[in-house]
Amino acid sequence: MLVYVIRRVGYMIVALLALTLITFFLMKQAPGSFLTINIMQSGLQTSGHSSYSMDVLQEWSERYHIGEPWYMEYWGYLKGILTWDFGTSFQYPNTPIMSLLVKAFPISLGIALSSIILGLLISIPVGIFAAMRRNTWADSGAMFFSMLGTSIPAYILAVFLIMVFSLYLHWLPSMGWRDLKNYVIPVLALALPMTGSMSRYMRTSLVENLNKDYATTVIAKGGSKRDVIYRHVLRNSLIPLITIIGPHLAGMLMGTVMIEFMFGIPGMGQLFNNAAGSRDYPLIMVSTFLYTLVIMVMNLLVDIIYGLLDPRIRRSGMSD
Amino acid sequence: MKRNKFLTTLAAISLGAALLAGCSGNNNADSKENGNAAASNTESGNAASANNASSGDATNKEVESNAGTLPDKPTGTFSFFINSGATWDPAIWDWGGHHNAIGIFEGLVHYSQGKVVPGTATSWKEDGAKWKFTLRQDAKFSNGDPVTAEAFVLGIQRAVDPNTVKGTSKASSFLGDTHIVNYLDIQNGLKKVDELGVKAIDPYTLEIDLQEPDKSFLDKLAISNWQMPVDPKVVKLGVSDDTWTDPAKIVSNGPYMIDKLNVKTDMWLKPNPYYYGKVSLEKIHMTWSTPEIKQLLVFQNNESDMATLAAEDVPAVKGDSTLTNELNWFDTSISYTFQVRHSENPALQNEKVRQALTMAIDKQAIADKVLGGTGTPSYDGSITTWMADWIKNVGPQYDVAKAKELMKEAGYPDGKGFPTLVMLVPGADDKVAQAVQQLWQQNLGINVKYDGEEWGAYVTKFDESADPGTVSVVQNGVGPAVANWKETIVQTDPLHMELAKIALDGKAWENYRKIWNDSKLEQGDKNKQASDLFAANFSKDITDRYAKAADAYKKDDEAGLKDFVSWRMNTAWTFPIYTVRNGILLKPNVKGYFPMRMWLSTPPDWLNDITVS
């Protein structure tokens, strides 16, 4: 197991290095610089603002190796990442990047995790319900709705939820970021589409296990369907579900970007998008790096948990 | 006096980045001395003003004035959308500064109901280029410290001092063409900041020395952030740090102060307990507007008392009688235009071609059908129809037959032989640009290519010459510095003669770009070299016209100025399409909202005029 984890971490480091290099080149390829965009955006183009760009440029040149060969500039960023000293961004030169991320990341992560948990809380019972009533109208009905959930994108669902809960019922705020109420619609919008695939996984996995000999034995010995499911089959059936949670969480962290925009939520999506749009190089580098790191760590954790739940995987992982 | 042509990219419409410039002019420009009007702010701006009356739409109505009827105690919450700020340091150029100007700080004068009214200064005297302001003695900062002339001196010095912005990635608050004695030399590091022409004569008398008399000085002051006082006990010269984003540390002197701030989302204001006059609202909630937030939905859910309509919202609102009653149309001063880009190909150097292009655009149809009324036809980038109605009659008119004839005379019958015309536009789906493209193709038979670019790419390409073999126009947003048409045309500084720059031939333009983009040159040297290059290459006809106009301005010769405007429009170097007009929904219990028309988003011009019952 330990060897497996060490090897995975090794791959991660290589992948992260490659990622920073790719991000760096793509970012430098994008036309325009923070200064030109900032000047244009704020209408300073012709305002005759002397000494502005020169002063700022000089400061930045020293801090970020601007104007030096690419490898020096890249090393500037890489050094920051390696020493975990991210410095400040172009847009907010008074605020360390870390404190920007510390504010934004928990918001995105909170939304993503709540959505997954809510998704599970809905999917598992629906899956069980459908599996217990296999091939009845209740089964088809539940699966139809989960199918519907999968096919509707989160942002469309979000508009629909706003219409219902904000516009007609006036129960929930339609945007903004003030209190717990603001969580509800974004989380629902992200969780409901997820229940489609999750509940189907749950149902299929249950049905498969119910057909296995050990389940038949329990029934033959006089156990009820309920006994079989809750005491024996459920735990085994959860394994496939866990495999899809990892990718879901990764996808979810990206999926919140659109939702964050729609609801004006100050999370990672907003931060990252602003950084890219205004060519805020330090912020682009650091946020891409940390984002990827989190997703990779999540995936690693899921694989480890998977291994813990299923000894066969653990063994094959070690023998790899 | 010079005017600063304030050129901002109006793709900013969609990004919400707007600009500030002077404000609704002609009202106070000539008031030499204001006999201590307004003992308290509650009495200052009466009169619902002619400022909003001219746009001639059935749904256009004046927002009920509120002046003189503020409650004894702050009452109610007003919730609205506004562009986001990043810092509230009045010395820094940022949207936060615009929030400051409408009621977090109070300058010498401010706008209220479209007019310049006394702020902390109760009266003033103009003596040539010298202005003397008498300050009220009961004004206090939000920490209880008195607002003195010294506080104004420090505030203005900080805005000019180049050290203030060092390391902030921001620029100083924009003094524009307000030429306080020595201000440019100080910004360029040639003189010390205490040599600025701003003095405290005594604790309650402030003197500002300008380089030359300025008829629009009060208008410029009223919309400016740099005129704000800062508490000398709290704020230092040469520093702008993160205290300016911390509500607990910001000390201001306006009727409201920042209560809570979420830098990326919203901000709450509360009354300044030490404000000398009445304060109308108990709470103000400002939510940052982004294109993704559907303001109409938020308004309908009663989370906001105000919403700015997108063009696609208009039919829905017009179909709903309640919403229609809550709808106000506010004109802005910002126009969406195209301008000729420099090119090796001389096709657009021909005035007939440019006039034909102008004549082929049906602006009224664009305003009605594409914009749903969220724009009115624009004829001149710096003079809107609400500033001067006659402007619509003096330039080239929509006339397809005439346009075709001009193309024929220029050697391009039915568009034959004309090079591909590339339109550089920010964004892939600009409906107005697409409409113009279609009109040019249909009406003139020329080949027009839409080049929609991501914002950063657009900004980068903006100054570049057209690709070889093509001619090109670029979309731009322009607006005047003050809302007085006579003030918008006087420009004698070559660095700011936009028209002459656009008309420059391709080679001279590339030489200019070389100077401007030379990172080894100091800004002062750049300005000098660019000025020399312009002087040598500008068309004599254009510079003569400008000189004549400047002369007419000095003599207040209206006919001479109109003649200049007419000439300028007929050169057709730019193609103004529409002036932005905001459809703003306001809840019926909101009174006293008067739009700041010089800003693209038309926020209220003075928050303390607003009441919510």
Side-chain angles (χ1 to χ4, degrees):
Chain A
M1 187 73 181
L2 190 65
V3 179
Y4 171 71
V5 173
I6 291 172
R7 181 176 299 167
R8 281 289 303 267
V9 171
Y11 288 154
M12 260 171 66
I13 292 171
V14 174
L16 280 169
L17 274 177
L19 171 107
T20 54
L21 203 61
I22 293 168
T23 311
F24 177 80
F25 279 116
L26 286 178
M27 170 177 99
K28 298 293 282 184
Q29 279 306 306
S33 74
F34 178 74
L35 271 181
T36 51
I37 292 174
N38 199 35
I39 290 173
M40 191 87 164
Q41 195 121 311
S42 50
L44 294 169
Q45 180 85 340
T46 55
S47 69
H49 255 80
S50 50
S51 76
Y52 164 55
S53 54
M54 288 297 286
D55 275 355
V56 178
L57 255 186
Q58 211 158 2
E59 287 229 5
W60 287 349
S61 314
E62 284 157 30
R63 206 186 310 171
Y64 301 108
H65 305 272
I66 291 170
E68 290 178 37
W70 71 265
Y71 48 86
M72 282 309 291
E73 206 178 322
Y74 173 67
W75 171 242
Y77 294 117
L78 196 64
K79 202 170 95 186
I81 287 170
L82 292 176
T83 54
W84 212 253
D85 170 18
F86 300 128
T88 59
S89 82
F90 288 170
Q91 295 175 83
Y92 312 98
N94 286 324
T95 319
I97 288 182
M98 205 54 196
S99 77
L100 289 174
L101 295 174
V102 162
K103 270 187 208 150
F105 188 69
I107 294 176
S108 300
L109 189 67
I111 293 174
L113 279 180
S114 328
S115 309
I116 297 245
I117 291 169
L118 182 67
L120 283 175
L121 288 178
I122 297 172
S123 313
I124 295 176
V126 169
I128 296 174
F129 174 83
M132 283 171 78
R133 290 165 184 73
R134 199 181 348 156
N135 301 331
T136 65
W137 64 268
D139 179 20
S140 339
M143 285 307 107
F144 173 74
F145 277 106
S146 70
M147 184 74 140
L148 211 60
T150 318
S151 14
I152 301 175
Y155 54 90
I156 302 270
L157 190 63
V159 174
F160 177 73
L161 292 171
I162 292 175
M163 301 253 286
V164 174
F165 291 106
S166 302
L167 234 46
Y168 296 120
L169 299 172
H170 291 292
W171 287 352
L172 295 168
S174 59
M175 55 113 237
W177 201 244
R178 278 162 248 168
D179 50 39
L180 278 180
K181 268 187 177 176
N182 289 99
Y183 262 95
V184 182
I185 295 182
V187 166
L188 273 178
L190 288 168
L192 292 181
M194 213 169 13
T195 57
S197 61
M198 280 191 180
S199 57
R200 288 181 88 85
Y201 262 100
M202 190 66 215
R203 175 188 174 277
T204 314
S205 169
L206 271 174
V207 168
E208 206 173 286
N209 274 297
L210 278 174
N211 285 336
K212 292 217 166 117
D213 291 347
Y214 75 91
T216 317
T217 315
V218 177
I219 291 172
K221 282 182 158 182
S224 67
K225 216 172 191 177
R226 188 174 287 264
D227 281 337
V228 190
I229 288 181
Y230 290 112
R231 289 200 175 164
H232 304 275
V233 178
L234 189 57
R235 199 182 152 202
N236 290 333
S237 312
L238 283 177
I239 295 174
L241 205 57
I242 287 168
T243 23
I244 62 162
I245 288 177
H248 258 306
L249 195 59
M252 188 91 332
L253 279 169
M254 293 316 294
T256 57
V257 173
M258 189 69 202
I259 292 291
E260 281 177 21
F261 262 110
M262 285 185 72
F263 291 90
I265 299 170
M268 285 295 284
Q270 229 187 52
L271 196 70
F272 187 72
N273 194 64
N274 287 346
S278 59
R279 311 287 191 267
D280 188 342
Y281 295 157
L283 192 53
I284 296 176
M285 284 299 282
V286 174
S287 55
T288 316
F289 169 77
L290 286 181
Y291 225 53
T292 319
L293 181 70
V294 169
I295 289 171
M296 284 180 167
V297 169
M298 295 271 187
N299 277 332
L300 178 66
L301 284 180
V302 167
D303 285 352
I304 292 173
I305 294 172
Y306 198 35
L308 290 178
L309 284 179
D310 188 339
R312 286 168 301 181
I313 297 164
R314 195 158 57 215
R315 248 175 271 123
S316 70
M318 274 161 63
S319 65
D320 255 359
Chain B
M1 188 179 351
K2 290 163 194 163
R3 185 192 63 84
N4 208 322
K5 169 130 178 186
F6 208 89
L7 188 129
T8 274
T9 30
L10 187 48
I13 286 179
S14 57
L15 287 164
L19 63 150
L20 148 79
C23 202
S24 50
N26 40 21
N27 34 42
N28 243 31
D30 51 356
S31 91
K32 295 259 191 252
E33 185 168 356
N34 183 309
N36 82 333
S40 93
N41 189 43
T42 54
E43 295 160 33
S44 55
N46 54 1
S49 96
N51 211 352
N52 195 38
S54 56
S55 90
D57 186 287
T59 51
N60 193 26
K61 64 183 185 214
E62 285 185 12
V63 177
E64 208 173 313
S65 167
N66 213 15
T69 58
L70 296 191
D72 288 331
K73 192 171 118 245
T75 320
T77 302
F78 176 58
S79 185
F80 72 112
F81 285 94
I82 194 166
N83 303 63
S84 77
T87 174
W88 283 263
D89 183 345
I92 299 280
W93 176 268
D94 182 83
W95 260 104
H98 303 1
H99 307 160
N100 288 342
I102 61 174
I104 296 175
F105 280 82
E106 183 186 83
L108 298 163
V109 292
H110 63 79
Y111 270 98
S112 168
Q113 306 291 301
K115 301 192 170 201
V116 179
V117 300
T120 306
T122 52
S123 63
W124 47 85
K125 218 173 173 176
E126 181 188 0
D127 177 15
K130 224 180 248 295
W131 289 75
K132 208 176 260 179
F133 293 88
T134 306
L135 309 185
R136 56 187 324 131
Q137 306 198 0
D138 53 353
K140 283 185 177 147
F141 284 103
S142 51
N143 60 358
D145 289 344
V147 181
T148 58
E150 207 51 59
F152 277 96
V153 172
L154 178 62
I156 300 173
Q157 283 182 345
R158 285 184 75 249
V160 174
D161 185 0
N163 292 319
T164 313
V165 289
K166 269 219 166 112
T168 63
S169 91
K170 296 269 174 186
S172 296
S173 257
F174 177 58
L175 264 75
D177 45 356
T178 306
H179 298 146
I180 300 178
V181 167
N182 288 339
Y183 112 86
L184 264 182
D185 282 346
I186 296 167
Q187 285 211 322
N188 289 332
L190 301 173
K191 283 192 172 147
K192 285 200 194 115
V193 73
D194 54 14
E195 293 175 76
L196 187 66
V198 180
K199 281 193 289 277
I201 306 285
D202 63 52
Y204 296 102
T205 310
L206 180 79
E207 190 183 279
I208 300 181
D209 293 346
L210 303 179
Q211 282 167 4
E212 64 272 309
D214 187 345
K215 289 183 208 164
S216 301
F217 182 50
L218 289 179
D219 286 279
K220 290 173 189 166
L221 265 185
I223 199 162
S224 293
N225 200 33
W226 57 262
Q227 61 145 343
M228 301 305 170
V230 291
D231 187 352
K233 288 190 190 155
V234 182
V235 180
K236 301 247 163 337
L237 206 57
V239 187
S240 175
D241 50 25
D242 50 10
T243 56
W244 288 104
T245 50
D246 182 352
K249 291 181 186 158
I250 296 174
V251 177
S252 60
N253 74 322
Y256 297 98
M257 57 191 284
I258 302 175
D259 184 15
K260 279 177 278 179
L261 168 65
N262 188 342
V263 176
K264 310 220 79 192
T265 327
D266 59 351
M267 179 160 86
W268 290 83
L269 305 182
K270 63 181 179 187
N272 167 5
Y274 295 100
Y275 189 64
Y276 58 83
K278 289 180 185 172
V279 180
S280 61
L281 296 157
E282 203 180 349
K283 286 179 193 166
I284 295 175
H285 184 214
M286 301 156 86
T287 304
W288 308 156
S289 52
T290 64
E292 288 79 12
I293 290 182
K294 302 291 166 231
Q295 295 194 14
L296 178 58
L297 281 181
V298 179
F299 180 83
Q300 285 178 293
N301 195 29
N302 297 326
E303 290 166 80
S304 173
D305 299 311
M306 172 268 205
T308 306
L309 298 183
E312 60 269 21
D313 295 332
V314 175
V317 169
K318 286 196 167 155
D320 179 321
S321 62
T322 316
L323 290 175
T324 305
N325 282 331
E326 292 166 343
L327 180 62
N328 305 273
W329 287 108
F330 295 146
D331 290 308
T332 75
S333 60
I334 314 297
S335 289
Y336 174 110
T337 67
F338 285 95
Q339 68 187 44
V340 171
R341 281 171 92 201
H342 299 89
S343 167
E344 285 174 1
N345 190 312
L348 287 181
Q349 296 286 325
N350 187 333
E351 188 169 280
K352 283 183 180 164
V353 172
R354 298 194 304 271
Q355 285 177 345
L357 287 170
T358 305
M359 289 177 181
I361 304 169
D362 187 351
K363 297 173 189 177
Q364 195 62 52
I366 290 176
D368 296 341
K369 295 192 181 123
V370 183
L371 295 164
T374 56
T376 51
S378 168
Y379 302 90
D380 181 276
S382 26
I383 303 175
T384 64
T385 49
W386 59 263
M387 284 189 222
D389 197 45
W390 50 264
I391 197 81
K392 56 182 162 209
N393 302 320
V394 292
Q397 306 291 313
Y398 174 55
D399 184 342
V400 179
K402 183 91 189 286
K404 282 183 170 159
E405 208 182 295
L406 283 169
M407 283 300 272
K408 199 172 161 189
E409 284 172 27
Y412 309 107
D414 296 322
K416 283 190 192 91
F418 196 76
T420 300
L421 174 62
V422 179
M423 305 172 82
L424 176 60
V425 180
D429 190 29
D430 181 332
K431 300 267 183 321
V432 172
Q434 285 161 0
V436 173
Q437 178 193 23
Q438 232 173 49
L439 285 166
W440 278 344
Q441 291 190 146
Q442 277 170 9
N443 293 341
L444 302 176
I446 58 176
N447 181 27
V448 184
K449 198 180 132 208
Y450 179 102
D451 178 15
E453 297 280 354
E454 181 261 0
W455 176 253
Y458 157 80
V459 166
T460 309
K461 285 175 96 172
F462 189 93
D463 278 340
E464 289 172 6
S465 300
D467 291 333
T470 67
V471 288
S472 179
V473 294
V474 57
Q475 195 264 308
N476 194 9
V478 292
V482 280
N484 178 347
W485 72 267
K486 291 179 193 168
E487 287 287 328
T488 62
I489 54 182
V490 192
Q491 192 55 270
T492 50
D493 172 6
L495 279 179
H496 293 119
M497 272 190 203
E498 294 307 323
L499 184 66
K501 279 201 244 174
I502 295 170
L504 217 53
D505 79 71
K507 218 178 252 164
W509 179 254
E510 282 306 317
N511 288 337
Y512 159 71
R513 275 178 31 91
K514 258 182 225 144
I515 297 172
W516 208 246
N517 295 329
D518 185 347
S519 57
K520 291 193 182 79
L521 273 182
E522 290 291 336
Q523 191 67 39
D525 295 335
K526 274 187 193 177
N527 288 347
K528 168 119 202 356
Q529 291 191 19
S531 294
D532 292 348
L533 181 133
F534 287 154
N537 289 284
F538 275 171
S539 134
K540 189 162 171 337
D541 179 35
I542 295 179
T543 47
D544 284 353
R545 290 275 184 173
Y546 270 87
K548 232 169 112 187
D551 198 41
Y553 174 77
K554 266 187 205 141
K555 293 181 186 145
D556 209 10
D557 164 16
E558 193 167 315
L561 287 172
K562 277 189 178 170
D563 184 48
F564 172 77
V565 173
S566 160
W567 163 81
R568 179 172 69 188
M569 290 167 77
N570 280 293
T571 61
W573 282 107
T574 64
F575 311 100
I577 312 292
Y578 70 93
T579 308
V580 180
R581 185 164 169 257
N582 289 330
I584 291 199
L585 292 167
L586 285 171
K587 292 285 178 197
N589 59 343
V590 174
K591 303 275 188 291
Y593 186 118
F594 195 91
M596 186 77 104
R597 295 198 295 184
M598 302 309 285
W599 295 358
L600 190 56
S601 58
T602 54
D605 68 359
W606 188 242
L607 287 170
N608 208 26
D609 286 343
I610 293 177
T611 58
V612 176
S613 52

